[in-house]
C-alpha cells in the first residue's frame, strides 16, 4: 500500500463524494411550474418514484464515500470497504439508469404508450434533471475506476505487474 | 507461474504446468449455473414479450371503430437495455462455467483469479443498470404518472405486464446470485486457497 496509491484512491473518493452530493442537491432543488390553458402544471422531483430512488441512492453513496475516506488501508476494515465499494457501485449505476429511463420518456415521450414529452412545458426542471444525471454518471464512472483500482492493491503483494 | 531464473516470460508460460491441481469449487459452480439460468430466462422472457390487442376507440353510428395496438419490448429503450444487459450477463456466466469445468490449465502469470474477479464486477454493474431502468419503467407502465398526464398501460395489456414482471423477478434473483459470486471471487483473491497456492509463489 504505497502512499501514491493511497493519495490516488482518496482523491477518487473525494471526487465521487463531490459528484454524488452535487447530483443529490441539484435533483432535490429541481422544480418548475407552467400554466397551460388555465391549468397549473407543477413538476417536482418527488412526483416520480424513479427520481426519489435516485436521490436516496445518491445520498447513501455520498455518505458512504465520506466514511470510507477515513478508513485506513492498514486496518482490517479495508477488505469490507472493497466489497462495499462494489455494492455502492451497483446502487449508483441502477439509480442513474432508472432516472435516465424516466427522463428519456419525459424528454422524448413514448408514442406507443401515448405518453407526451413534458420538457417543452417545464424546461428549467428538465435542465436541472439533466445536470444532476451528468453528475451522477461521473460518480458512477469514478466508482467503477475505484473498484478496479482496489483489485490492483489486493494483487500487488502477490505479483510484480 | 514466474520463471525461476528471471528470464523474460515467453509463450510457454501461457499454459501453466499443472504442479498444483486446483480442486473444483462446486458451490461456486452451482451458483454460476443458477445465475446463468436466471439471467437467461429473464432475457428470453423479455425478448419474447409481445401482446396485440384490438381496442374499440370510438363509435360512429352503429359501427365501432377498432384499433389494433401492439405492445412490444422494443418500444421502450429501457427494456431493450434490459435484454442486452441480461444477455451479456448470461453469456458471461456461461463462459465462466465453461472455464471452471474445462479451462483450469489456462492461466497467464497467475492472473486468472484477478481476471475472473474483474469480469464478475463488470457484469454485476451492467446487470444492475439494466434492472434499475426496467424496474422503474415497468412501475411507470403499471401506475402511470398523473402529474405528467401519463396513463397506465397495464390495465389494457395485462399479459405483457405479467411477463415483464416475471422477467424482472428472474433478473433480480440473477443479480443477487451474481453479487454473491462476485464477493466470493474477491475473497478468493484476498485470501488465496491455502490447500493449493494460486500458482504464483515458488
Amino acid at each position: 500500500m504505497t502512499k501514491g496509491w493511497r493519495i490516488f484512491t482518496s482523491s477518487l473518493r473525494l471526487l465521487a463524494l463531490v459528484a454524488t452530493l452535487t447530483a443529490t442537491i441539484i435533483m432535490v432543488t429541481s422544480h418548475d411550474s407552467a400554466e397551460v390553458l388555465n391549468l397549473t402544471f407543477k413538476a417536482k422531483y418527488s412526483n416520480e418514484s424513479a427520481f426519489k430512488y435516485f436521490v436516496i441512492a445518491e445520498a447513501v453513496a455520498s455518505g458512504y464515500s465520506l466514511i470510507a475516506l477515513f478508513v485506513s488501508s492498514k486496518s482490517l476494515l479495508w477488505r469490507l470497504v472493497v466489497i462495499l465499494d462494489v455494492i455502492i457501485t451497483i446502487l449508483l449505476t441502477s439509480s442513474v439508469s432508472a432516472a435516465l429511463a424516466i427522463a428519456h420518456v419525459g424528454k422524448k415521450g413514448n408514442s406507443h404508450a401515448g405518453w407526451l414529452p413534458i420538457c417543452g412545458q417545464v424546461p428549467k426542471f428538465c435542465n436541472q434533471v439533466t445536470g444532476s444525471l451528468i453528475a451522477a454518471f461521473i460518480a458512477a464512472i469514478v466508482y467503477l475506476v475505484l473498484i478496479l483500482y482496489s483489485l490492483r492493491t489486493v494483487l500487488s503483494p502477490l505479483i510484480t505487474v | 507461474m514466474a520463471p525461476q531464473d528471471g528470464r523474460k516470460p515467453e509463450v510457454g508460460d501461457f499454459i501453466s504446468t499443472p504442479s498444483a491441481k486446483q480442486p473444483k469449487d462446486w458451490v461456486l459452480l452451482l451458483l454460476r449455473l443458477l445465475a446463468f439460468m436466471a439471467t437467461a430466462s429473464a432475457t428470453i422472457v423479455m425478448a419474447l414479450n409481445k401482446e396485440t390487442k384490438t381496442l374499440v376507440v370510438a363509435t360512429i353510428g352503429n359501427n365501432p371503430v377498432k384499433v389494433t395496438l401492439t405492445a412490444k419490448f422494443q418500444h421502450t429503450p429501457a427494456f431493450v437495455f434490459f435484454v442486452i444487459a441480461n444477455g451479456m450477463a448470461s453469456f458471461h456466466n456461461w463462459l465462466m462455467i465453461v472455464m471452471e469445468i474445462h479451462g483450469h490449465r489456462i492461466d497467464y502469470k497467475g492472473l486468472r483469479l484477478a481476471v475472473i474477479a474483474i469480469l464478475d464486477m463488470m457484469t454485476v454493474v451492467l446487470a444492475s443498470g439494466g434492472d434499475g431502468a426496467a424496474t422503474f419503467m415497468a412501475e411507470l407502465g403499471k401506475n402511470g404518472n398523473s402529474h405528467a398526464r401519463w396513463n397506465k398501460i397495464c390495465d389494457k395489456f395485462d399479459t405483457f405486464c405479467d411477463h415483464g414482471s416475471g422477467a424482472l423477478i428472474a433478473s433480480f434473483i440473477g443479480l443477487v446470485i451474481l453479487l454473491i459470486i462476485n464477493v466470493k471471487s474477491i475473497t478468493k483473491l484476498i485470501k488465496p486457497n491455502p490447500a493449493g497456492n494460486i500458482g504464483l509463489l515458488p
Side-chain angles (χ1 to χ4, degrees):
Chain A
M1 321 292 172
T2 61
K3 198 147 194 294
W5 167 81
R6 182 98 183 108
I7 293 177
F8 185 59
T9 44
S10 293
S11 54
L12 277 183
R13 266 192 225 280
L14 198 61
L15 182 62
L17 172 67
V18 167
T20 46
L21 215 53
T22 316
T24 320
I25 292 176
I26 295 182
M27 183 63 96
V28 167
T29 57
S30 69
H31 60 87
D32 198 3
S33 60
E35 284 247 358
V36 177
L37 305 168
N38 274 351
L39 291 166
T40 316
F41 196 60
K42 277 206 176 73
K44 274 197 303 181
Y45 84 95
S46 50
N47 288 346
E48 182 54 63
S49 54
F51 294 157
K52 282 194 274 196
Y53 170 64
F54 177 82
V55 164
I56 293 173
E58 299 289 325
V60 165
S62 56
Y64 168 76
S65 303
L66 189 61
I67 294 175
L69 267 178
F70 300 120
V71 170
S72 148
S73 61
K74 296 203 185 19
S75 74
L76 287 172
L77 276 177
W78 74 269
R79 296 175 183 188
L80 188 64
V81 163
V82 170
I83 292 176
L84 279 182
D85 272 346
V86 175
I87 296 180
I88 294 287
T89 312
I90 290 176
L91 201 64
L92 280 177
T93 48
S94 68
S95 72
V96 155
S97 71
L100 192 61
I102 303 295
H104 180 265
V105 175
K107 196 172 183 73
K108 302 259 171 74
N110 192 331
S111 54
H112 303 279
W115 293 335
L116 298 171
I118 63 165
C119 269
Q121 280 102 356
V122 281
K124 194 160 87 96
F125 176 69
C126 270
N127 291 342
Q128 278 195 288
V129 166
T130 312
S132 172
L133 278 174
I134 291 173
F137 206 69
I138 292 174
I141 291 177
V142 164
Y143 254 100
L144 202 62
V145 170
L146 198 62
I147 62 176
L148 289 178
Y149 212 75
S150 308
L151 271 189
R152 186 180 174 270
T153 53
V154 168
L155 286 177
S156 63
L158 301 173
I159 56 175
T160 52
V161 166
Chain B
M1 280 172 275
Q4 244 78 356
D5 48 359
R7 59 186 163 86
K8 282 177 110 57
E10 292 165 8
V11 176
D13 289 340
F14 187 73
I15 308 286
S16 66
T17 53
S19 61
K21 197 143 173 49
Q22 298 278 359
K24 283 206 186 132
D25 195 345
W26 291 109
V27 173
L28 200 64
L29 198 58
L30 184 67
L31 283 177
R32 281 204 199 274
L33 201 61
L34 284 176
F36 170 69
M37 291 193 306
T39 46
S41 59
T43 318
I44 292 173
V45 168
M46 187 57 98
L48 299 174
N49 203 4
K50 186 174 159 170
E51 193 181 350
T52 314
K53 236 184 165 107
T54 313
L55 301 165
V56 176
V57 173
T59 313
I60 299 180
N62 274 338
N63 304 329
V65 174
K66 289 201 173 115
V67 160
T68 310
L69 291 172
T70 315
K72 286 194 260 200
F73 83 95
Q74 297 106 312
H75 290 166
T76 319
F79 288 156
V80 171
F81 181 47
F82 176 81
V83 166
I84 292 174
N86 274 297
M88 291 183 67
S90 51
F91 174 70
H92 164 87
N93 280 323
W94 173 80
L95 194 68
M96 290 296 138
I97 290 174
V98 166
M99 283 274 290
E100 191 87 14
I101 296 180
H102 294 292
H104 261 296
R105 292 184 49 145
I106 299 177
D107 199 356
Y108 181 68
K109 286 202 282 187
L111 278 178
R112 175 201 171 89
L113 281 180
V115 168
I116 289 181
I118 289 175
L119 285 178
D120 272 341
M121 275 179 181
M122 303 276 106
T123 307
V124 122
V125 164
L126 185 67
S128 75
D131 281 352
T135 312
F136 284 99
M137 206 54 163
E139 195 262 347
L140 186 64
K142 198 175 179 71
N143 297 334
N145 190 334
S146 54
H147 302 274
R149 312 276 192 278
W150 292 334
N151 300 324
K152 58 177 135 177
I153 64 167
C154 270
D155 47 358
K156 299 190 200 66
F157 294 97
D158 38 0
T159 315
F160 182 77
C161 280
D162 281 341
H163 287 178
S165 336
L168 270 173
I169 291 174
S171 178
F172 279 136
I173 293 174
L175 182 69
V176 167
I177 298 180
L178 268 173
L179 185 60
I180 295 175
I181 291 173
N182 194 13
V183 168
K184 269 184 84 85
S185 315
I186 294 177
T187 49
K188 255 195 187 175
L189 266 183
I190 294 178
K191 303 186 263 274
N193 191 5
N197 60 3
I198 55 176
L200 295 166
L201 309 169

